[in-house]
């Protein structure tokens, strides 16, 4: 049920502890939220009095481990490995001092991210543990310094005047239209200002293709730091929305017939300052791969081949809701196939122009960043280890020329369960908890009769 590795202290642990204690010495801060991501990537917290936190933070705080594997609506799944199997027992939230920061939308509270431990060991079903496990498994001979960037789309919605449902805050498809971007300036101004203090500094805003759909970018980082920043960013976006009486949602497809929201993950790798994904000198693939900007190195092609080879399992982690599978569409910028190409937004894996890096376009915006980053790196490393060579890059629409991604959660979850490489890399406990939670959601969906069904069948059958 737990991972064998112990939490690794930071090289600057004493400095981080001093900074945390200095922050919490402010008499205005009366509360500390101890925070952690669950299997869905949802923020879970306990709110503590500051004096209690300061007295007890070194030993940690109890938490019901089942919370890790509950569904977004808090249904309790069977067979998660952290429920009845351990008599619904507790673990411990161990604060990470370097993550302490003031909550910018409150004057009286701070938060600290936590690892989840049990008996001194990291809990295998915790998303942070899965990513740490992958990063610790990188072979010494590779010694890569990975860089990670996250691009997330989301919808900003207002409650409908009718009192039923939601409506976008802008009226139509206004991609990069200036006045439509200005419509959300009050929201963005607070988001940008608060992001500085919250540690996920945003750099730009653009109106995306859908009505009310936005993309806000923030800085690149190392894999764990970027996962933490992405987790924080999503929490910050949603909270900023609520402060403006709006709902910000990373739901993959909140409206039929409108653009879905994706999570585009950019991975770079460097060794001794050199970009290992970029071809050195005249190196080329056996199949031409130039796009006028350059070529992938052998290592880059191997990494791409690994991600494509594990694309079906990655789809399960990157498309964690039933709704998300409605985002996959032929002929769209949302990937439909396990494919790759140069600067081709219709492929699952894209090599953008500019600095050579690998973009995973499979995940939807509602995916858990810790799991998406972990699975993408693990799959790429497997491609390097097995010396895989990808099929030639695709130009144009790859549908019909490359295998489709799983078109249902049942198929994706089956692919994930049968993927021994990713199960080993992320940990059996994590995969067990994830699959159990998602199957509980499927069961709830199958038990629900929708308005669509009544409209289709009541009068005609």
């Amino acid at each position: 049920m737990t991972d064998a590795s112990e939490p690794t202290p930071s090289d600057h642990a004493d400095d981080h502890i001093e900074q945390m204690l200095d922050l919490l010495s402010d008499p205005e801060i009366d509360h500390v939220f101890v925070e952690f991501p669950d299997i869905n990537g949802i923020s879970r917290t306990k709110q503590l009095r500051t004096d209690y936190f300061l007295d007890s933070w070194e030993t940690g705080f109890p938490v019901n481990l089942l919370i890790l594997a509950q569904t977004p609506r808090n249904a309790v799944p069977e067979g998660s490995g952290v429920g009845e199997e351990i008599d619904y027992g507790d673990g411990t939230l161990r604060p990470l001092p370097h993550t302490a920061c003031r909550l910018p939308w409150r004057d009286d509270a701070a938060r600290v991210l936590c690892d989840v431990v049990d008996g001194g060991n990291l809990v295998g079903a915790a998303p942070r543990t899965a990513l740490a496990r992958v990063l610790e498994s990188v072979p010494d001979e590779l010694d890569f310094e990975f860089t990670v960037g996250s691009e997330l789309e989301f919808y900003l919605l207002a409650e409908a005047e009718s009192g039923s449902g939601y409506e976008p805050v802008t009226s139509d498809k206004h991609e990069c239209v200036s006045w439509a971007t200005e419509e959300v300036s009050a929201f963005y101004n607070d988001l940008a200002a608060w992001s500085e203090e919250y540690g996920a500094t945003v750099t730009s805003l653009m109106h995306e293709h859908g009505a009310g759909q936005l993309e806000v970018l923030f800085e690149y980082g190392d894999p764990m730091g970027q996962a933490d920043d992405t987790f924080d960013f999503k929490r910050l976006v949603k909270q900023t929305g609520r402060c403006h009486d709006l709902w910000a949602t990373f739901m993959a497809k909140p409206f039929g017939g409108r653009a879905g929201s994706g999570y585009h993950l950019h991975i770079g790798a460097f060794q001794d300052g050199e970009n290992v994904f970029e071809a050195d000198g005249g190196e080329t693939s056996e199949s031409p791969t130039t796009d006028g900007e350059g070529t992938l190195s052998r290592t880059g092609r191997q990494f791409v081949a690994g991600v494509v080879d594990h694309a079906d399992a990655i789809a399960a982690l990157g498309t964690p809701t039933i709704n998300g599978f409605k985002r996959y569409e032929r002929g769209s910028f949302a990937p439909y196939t396990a494919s790759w190409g140069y600067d081709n937004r219709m492929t699952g894996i894209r090599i953008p122009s500019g600095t050579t890096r690998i973009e995973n376009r499979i995940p939807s915006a509602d995916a858990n960043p810790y799991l998406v980053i972990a699975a993408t790196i693990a799959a790429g490393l497997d491609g390097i280890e097995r010396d895989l060579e990808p099929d030639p890059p695709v130009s144009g629409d790859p549908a019909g020329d490359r295998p489709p991604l799983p078109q249902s959660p049942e198929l994706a979850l089956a692919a994930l369960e049968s993927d021994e490489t990713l199960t080993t890399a992320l940990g059996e406990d994590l995969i067990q908890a994830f699959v159990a939670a998602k199957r509980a959601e499927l069961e709830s969906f199958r038990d629900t009769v929708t308005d669509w069904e009544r409209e289709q069948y009541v009068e005609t059958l």
Side-chain angles (χ1 to χ4, degrees):
M1 196 276 296
T2 56
D3 185 86
S5 60
E6 294 251 352
T8 302
S10 165
D11 293 337
H12 306 286
D14 290 342
D15 291 342
H16 293 143
I17 291 170
E18 184 177 347
Q19 291 166 6
M20 179 183 74
L21 297 180
D22 183 60
L23 170 67
L24 299 182
S25 68
D26 186 334
E28 291 186 354
I29 298 181
D30 298 324
H31 308 279
V32 179
F33 287 82
V34 286
E35 184 175 16
F36 63 99
D38 70 3
I39 205 78
N40 310 288
I42 295 172
S43 168
R44 304 278 185 167
T45 59
K46 285 189 170 186
Q47 182 174 350
L48 311 176
R49 285 179 55 94
T50 301
D51 54 358
Y52 171 57
F53 175 87
L54 291 171
D55 288 341
S56 306
W57 78 268
E58 291 180 285
T59 55
F61 305 94
V63 64
N64 182 350
L65 291 177
L66 183 60
I67 294 173
L68 282 169
Q70 290 182 9
T71 70
R73 294 300 256 175
N74 300 306
V76 176
E78 295 181 358
S80 68
V82 289
E84 59 184 347
E85 300 87 349
I86 59 168
D87 296 327
Y88 303 100
D90 282 351
T92 301
L93 296 178
R94 179 174 293 179
L96 299 163
H98 73 278
T99 67
C101 67
R102 186 186 293 267
L103 292 181
W105 52 86
R106 291 184 57 162
D107 296 326
D108 63 346
R111 81 87 202 262
V112 183
L113 281 181
C114 299
D115 273 330
V116 185
V117 301
D118 184 30
N121 296 322
L122 290 166
V123 172
R128 272 187 120 258
T129 301
L131 179 53
R133 181 185 179 109
V134 168
L135 298 176
E136 290 166 5
S137 71
V138 178
D140 292 339
E141 62 270 19
L142 295 182
D143 191 28
F144 291 166
E145 178 185 343
F146 285 107
T147 61
V148 178
S150 299
E151 296 179 357
L152 295 107
E153 299 159 332
F154 62 93
Y155 275 84
L156 195 59
L157 308 175
E159 294 187 16
E161 293 184 3
S162 64
S164 176
Y166 307 93
E167 55 189 24
V169 295
T170 58
S171 59
D172 211 333
K173 299 175 181 179
H174 298 306
E175 189 165 9
C176 290
V177 173
S178 297
W179 72 259
T181 305
E182 290 282 356
E183 288 283 293
V184 298
S185 60
F187 164 82
Y188 179 68
N189 289 346
D190 279 344
L191 181 67
W194 291 348
S195 74
E196 291 283 345
E197 192 165 3
Y198 206 50
T201 304
V202 302
T203 58
S204 69
L205 164 74
M206 64 173 284
H207 196 295
E208 269 289 351
H209 192 66
Q213 188 184 37
L214 307 173
E215 180 176 82
V216 178
L217 302 184
F218 50 102
E219 296 175 345
Y220 276 55
D222 64 276
M224 186 63 79
Q226 181 69 184
D228 287 342
D229 286 351
T230 307
F231 173 72
D232 285 346
F233 171 77
K234 295 174 81 169
R235 167 106 157 85
L236 179 62
V237 166
K238 294 185 74 67
Q239 187 64 45
T240 306
R242 295 308 303 133
C243 290
H244 288 262
D245 293 325
L246 301 171
W247 292 97
T249 182
F250 294 90
M251 180 180 177
K253 192 82 170 176
F255 302 103
R258 294 181 179 174
S261 292
Y263 173 14
H264 302 152
L265 180 73
H266 294 253
I267 303 280
F270 296 82
Q271 192 171 46
D272 298 325
E274 298 294 325
N275 187 338
V276 301
F277 290 161
E278 185 173 6
D280 182 15
E283 180 187 2
T284 58
S285 169
E286 294 178 5
S287 300
T289 59
T290 59
D291 65 346
E293 296 290 336
T295 62
L296 276 179
S297 66
R298 178 184 180 88
T299 300
R301 297 193 306 272
Q302 292 168 338
F303 195 97
V304 166
V307 177
V308 172
D309 192 54
H310 294 281
D312 286 3
I314 291 173
L317 297 166
T319 312
T321 66
I322 301 165
N323 171 264
F325 286 86
K326 295 181 179 180
R327 172 176 159 264
Y328 294 157
E329 295 181 14
R330 288 174 177 264
S332 75
F333 289 170
Y336 185 81
T337 60
S339 57
W340 78 284
Y342 275 89
D343 218 7
N344 185 349
R345 285 183 166 83
M346 302 176 80
T347 55
I349 308 302
R350 171 178 174 249
I351 312 303
S353 58
T355 301
T356 301
R357 62 197 186 278
I358 291 163
E359 179 187 4
N360 182 359
R361 297 176 62 82
I362 294 172
S364 53
D366 52 11
N368 185 327
Y370 297 95
L371 303 187
V372 169
I373 295 171
T376 304
I377 292 177
L381 290 174
D382 183 55
I384 295 172
E385 181 178 345
R386 291 163 55 202
D387 191 19
L388 298 181
E389 182 71 23
D391 290 333
V394 177
S395 297
D397 188 353
D401 292 328
R402 295 292 186 270
L405 292 167
Q407 297 299 300
S408 72
E410 291 89 349
L411 292 174
L413 291 172
L416 177 61
E417 284 186 301
S418 64
D419 193 314
E420 296 180 3
T421 297
L422 291 193
T423 297
T424 299
L426 276 68
E428 293 182 2
D429 293 342
L430 185 286
I431 300 302
Q432 179 182 354
F434 181 87
V435 171
K438 298 307 149 186
R439 289 205 166 122
E441 287 183 55
L442 284 171
E443 183 177 353
S444 175
F445 180 77
R446 284 192 290 264
D447 289 343
T448 301
V449 178
T450 65
D451 287 342
W452 183 92
E453 292 166 278
R454 281 184 283 271
E455 290 172 1
Q456 293 291 314
Y457 305 128
V458 165
E459 295 182 4
T460 58
L461 296 179

